[in-house]
Amino acid sequence: MISQSNVASLIRKLEHCTVLSQEEKRALENACSSFRHLAPRTNLVSEGDPVQRVSIILEGFACRYRLQADGRRQVVGLLLPGDMCDICVCILKHMDHSIGTLSPVLASQISREVADSLLDHYPRLARAFWWSTLVEESIAREWVVNVGHRTAFERMAHLFCEIFERLHTVGLTRGDTCDLPLTQAELSDALALSAVHVNRVLMEMRHNQLITLRNQQLTLHDYQALRNIAGFDARYLHLDGTHGPSFAVAQEHTA
Amino acid sequence: MISQSNVASLIRKLEHCTVLSQEEKRALENACSSFRHLAPRTNLVSEGDPVQRVSIILEGFACRYRLQADGRRQVVGLLLPGDMCDICVCILKHMDHSIGTLSPVLASQISREVADSLLDHYPRLARAFWWSTLVEESIAREWVVNVGHRTAFERMAHLFCEIFERLHTVGLTRGDTCDLPLTQAELSDALALSAVHVNRVLMEMRHNQLITLRNQQLTLHDYQALRNIAGFDARYLHLDGTHGPSFAVAQEHTA
DNA sequence: CGACATTTTGATGAAGATCAAACTGGGTGG
DNA sequence: CCACCCAGTTTGATCTTCATCAAAATGTCG
């Protein structure tokens, strides 16, 4: 049996779309009762696979990525606790990208049948799931902007803001710090930069007292400054409904 | 009254997901009976707007874009005939990007109520609509790869392949040529390049006898070569079901 | 024709890639 | 417990791609 806390991030995230009843939450917990542990750097799904089930990240970091002909890879999105992997299952015939873990990951596995019945019985859940795919789409677009129009420094600042904000949403930040279990090479795949350059930018950020990144812990010493540099506008994350995290954090800092 | 041909691209596109009955097609045509003409470079929707209706592009080119603080804009997706603008309507509270026309556009307008009833009465249509949003998401991810990991030349080749392929899908290519009503400046917004550099790459492509682009007509003289250069793999467009256009075009060329 | 947008060309500069090598630290096996 | 190894990080030097600035050429439309 899985403890309630593991599904907590998922519920917490979905409630940014709509409030869920006790019954809906229980249904979610039941659906997530089957799960598996994955080592870092293993594939959850591979490009081209016909997909059979929905996975939900309960703990750890994963990413969506596409491999290039030359062997380089582009990470096209991060998956954090509470994020769903392949809702497309029901509709698309094959995966257009791979999903791999970055850190150790705990992921629930929902079979297609269970997923279908969940959506049929709880329209509000269906709506919340759809909402989460739309948010992901919005994030993908923001990544186009990020990679296309921002300097390395801005780009990295933006990624850090996004990660922090998203983790804050599901209650996984402590003060101004959060997990960041990525190597610099992995960061470079996500930012479309060389690993060497990622290193240099990191050094500069540290030198400017903007962040510390050590033992896979990222702390943002001046979130406001970072957001200004990045041109980070959290609206693309569509967290309108409830307590805006960036606001809350901004407050913490002024306090 | 609008002629059937205007909705043809939409139907043709959706049928890449699932076959539609006569009744479903008629319902679509009815829903699209209200429409408007838009001049080039006018906004269909603006970032931040609360959206009230779904629009469908029947003729012409439009794009999704985000404006940067410095005034530059990043086009984050193209909208071609048959594409829908704001299905997110029902779920998200505001638009996270703007939609603007590039050429003169004919767009249908479907009110929220009509859209809702359409989705309620015709589950297969609902499924096809969802499919089309997932394809858009896949395209957005491909754009991240494009802007992140490809050289200017490859990037432009890739965009041309995508446009040609998508237009082919809805029957809007003639042999190896199609419309491309974008200025070089607009291309540069989509490719995250400077307008000057777009010009130089275009010149080079012409010099290599790969394309002609004149009077807003693009013709691909060697589609296969272009695809190789771009590393273009049409699978991300999810056109599996039916007649694969790239295949058909490849055939034309060998003939 | 004349105003204006767009395309084309040239010259220079900057951001970041690439190559190479040294350094760090944790883990393993002898 | 030490020597070693390996993955990851850091630093330096050089080279490429593309941005930027500026100006000329071309085209379009009233």
Side-chain angles (χ1 to χ4, degrees):
Chain A
M1 176 170 39
I2 193 168
S3 78
Q4 184 189 327
S5 69
N6 282 309
V7 199
S9 350
L10 173 61
I11 291 173
R12 191 144 168 189
K13 183 181 135 184
L14 294 181
E15 287 203 314
H16 276 271
C17 168
T18 178
V19 178
L20 300 177
S21 70
Q22 285 307 317
E23 190 191 344
E24 285 160 337
K25 291 180 195 174
R26 225 172 299 117
L28 265 183
E29 274 160 32
N30 287 336
C32 291
S33 60
S34 148
F35 57 95
R36 56 175 171 159
H37 284 277
L38 294 133
R41 289 158 213 222
T42 58
N43 263 12
L44 266 153
V45 203
S46 297
E47 196 168 334
D49 279 4
V51 213
Q52 310 297 358
R53 52 170 177 269
V54 181
S55 296
I56 296 175
I57 308 286
L58 300 177
E59 289 175 23
F61 280 47
C63 67
R64 301 177 187 279
Y65 67 91
R66 284 205 182 132
L67 250 26
Q68 298 300 102
D70 61 7
R72 290 168 43 167
R73 78 170 186 177
Q74 171 74 52
V75 169
V76 294
L78 283 182
L79 295 166
L80 307 181
D83 287 339
M84 272 161 293
C85 292
D86 350 272
I87 332 198
C88 41
V89 167
C90 355
I91 309 260
L92 297 180
K93 303 210 171 65
H94 62 266
M95 287 292 288
D96 50 58
H97 60 272
S98 305
I99 298 181
T101 60
L102 295 164
S103 68
V105 158
L106 177 67
S108 74
Q109 311 238 272
I110 307 185
S111 72
R112 197 167 169 148
E113 296 74 42
V114 173
D116 279 347
S117 88
L118 204 61
L119 297 180
D120 281 350
H121 286 76
Y122 304 98
R124 207 151 45 165
L125 279 184
R127 189 189 174 83
F129 282 147
W130 194 12
W131 168 82
S132 92
T133 72
L134 291 172
V135 172
E136 265 204 65
E137 191 173 333
S138 177
I139 293 176
R141 286 196 236 280
E142 187 64 34
W143 279 43
V144 176
V145 176
N146 209 28
V147 172
H149 270 291
R150 290 197 252 263
T151 66
F153 198 95
E154 295 163 356
R155 213 182 287 182
M156 196 147 110
H158 197 278
L159 183 66
F160 288 165
C161 290
E162 177 182 315
I163 291 173
F164 187 84
E165 198 85 12
R166 285 171 64 186
L167 287 177
H168 189 95
T169 300
V170 293
L172 292 177
T173 52
R174 283 143 273 128
D176 51 7
T177 105
C178 65
D179 288 352
L180 188 68
L182 305 206
T183 65
Q184 296 182 2
E186 285 161 341
L187 278 175
S188 80
D189 288 337
L191 295 167
L193 293 170
S194 70
V196 171
H197 203 60
V198 162
N199 181 271
R200 288 196 232 269
V201 173
L202 269 175
M203 301 300 277
E204 196 184 345
M205 282 192 170
R206 295 198 251 245
H207 183 258
N208 297 357
Q209 317 256 344
L210 285 169
I211 63 157
T212 10
L213 176 54
R214 217 176 40 213
N215 302 327
Q216 320 205 316
Q217 298 288 304
L218 171 71
T219 113
L220 311 182
H221 297 302
D222 191 345
Y223 192 33
Q224 189 56 53
L226 219 54
R227 293 170 56 180
N228 289 340
I229 289 165
F232 182 81
D233 175 352
R235 272 178 300 177
Y236 77 96
L237 295 172
H238 292 280
L239 306 170
D240 341 70
T242 29
H243 31 74
S246 43
F247 177 69
V249 175
Q251 293 238 308
E252 277 174 36
H253 273 279
T254 59
Chain B
M1 174 173 41
I2 192 169
S3 78
Q4 183 191 329
S5 69
N6 282 310
V7 198
S9 352
L10 175 60
I11 291 173
R12 192 144 168 188
K13 183 181 137 185
L14 294 181
E15 287 204 314
H16 277 270
C17 168
T18 179
V19 178
L20 300 177
S21 70
Q22 285 307 319
E23 191 190 344
E24 286 160 338
K25 292 180 194 173
R26 224 173 299 119
L28 265 183
E29 275 160 31
N30 287 337
C32 291
S33 59
S34 148
F35 57 95
R36 57 177 171 159
H37 284 275
L38 293 133
R41 289 156 212 226
T42 58
N43 262 12
L44 266 153
V45 201
S46 296
E47 196 169 334
D49 279 4
V51 213
Q52 311 297 358
R53 54 171 176 271
V54 181
S55 295
I56 296 175
I57 308 287
L58 301 176
E59 288 175 23
F61 279 47
C63 67
R64 301 178 187 279
Y65 67 91
R66 286 211 180 124
L67 250 26
Q68 300 298 104
D70 62 7
R72 291 168 43 168
R73 79 171 183 174
Q74 171 73 52
V75 170
V76 292
L78 283 181
L79 295 165
L80 307 181
D83 287 339
M84 273 161 293
C85 292
D86 351 271
I87 331 197
C88 41
V89 167
C90 352
I91 309 259
L92 297 181
K93 304 214 169 63
H94 62 265
M95 288 291 289
D96 50 57
H97 59 273
S98 305
I99 297 181
T101 60
L102 295 163
S103 68
V105 159
L106 177 67
S108 74
Q109 311 238 275
I110 307 184
S111 72
R112 197 167 169 147
E113 297 74 41
V114 173
D116 280 346
S117 88
L118 205 60
L119 296 180
D120 282 349
H121 286 76
Y122 304 98
R124 208 150 44 166
L125 280 184
R127 188 188 174 82
F129 282 147
W130 194 12
W131 169 82
S132 93
T133 71
L134 290 173
V135 172
E136 265 204 66
E137 192 174 332
S138 176
I139 293 175
R141 286 196 235 280
E142 187 64 35
W143 279 45
V144 175
V145 177
N146 209 29
V147 172
H149 270 294
R150 290 197 252 263
T151 66
F153 198 96
E154 296 164 355
R155 213 182 288 182
M156 195 147 113
H158 197 278
L159 183 67
F160 288 165
C161 290
E162 176 181 315
I163 292 172
F164 188 84
E165 198 86 11
R166 285 171 64 186
L167 287 176
H168 189 95
T169 300
V170 292
L172 291 177
T173 52
R174 285 141 271 127
D176 52 7
T177 107
C178 65
D179 288 352
L180 188 69
L182 306 205
T183 65
Q184 296 182 1
E186 285 160 342
L187 278 176
S188 79
D189 288 337
L191 295 167
L193 294 169
S194 71
V196 172
H197 202 62
V198 162
N199 181 272
R200 288 196 231 269
V201 172
L202 269 176
M203 302 299 276
E204 194 184 346
M205 282 191 171
R206 294 198 252 245
H207 183 257
N208 296 356
Q209 317 256 344
L210 285 169
I211 64 155
T212 351
L213 176 53
R214 217 178 39 217
N215 303 325
Q216 320 204 316
Q217 298 287 305
L218 171 70
T219 111
L220 310 182
H221 297 302
D222 191 344
Y223 192 33
Q224 189 56 52
L226 218 54
R227 292 170 57 183
N228 289 340
I229 289 165
F232 181 81
D233 176 351
R235 273 178 300 177
Y236 76 96
L237 295 171
H238 291 279
L239 307 170
D240 343 68
T242 28
H243 31 73
S246 43
F247 177 69
V249 174
Q251 293 237 309
E252 277 174 36
H253 273 278
T254 61

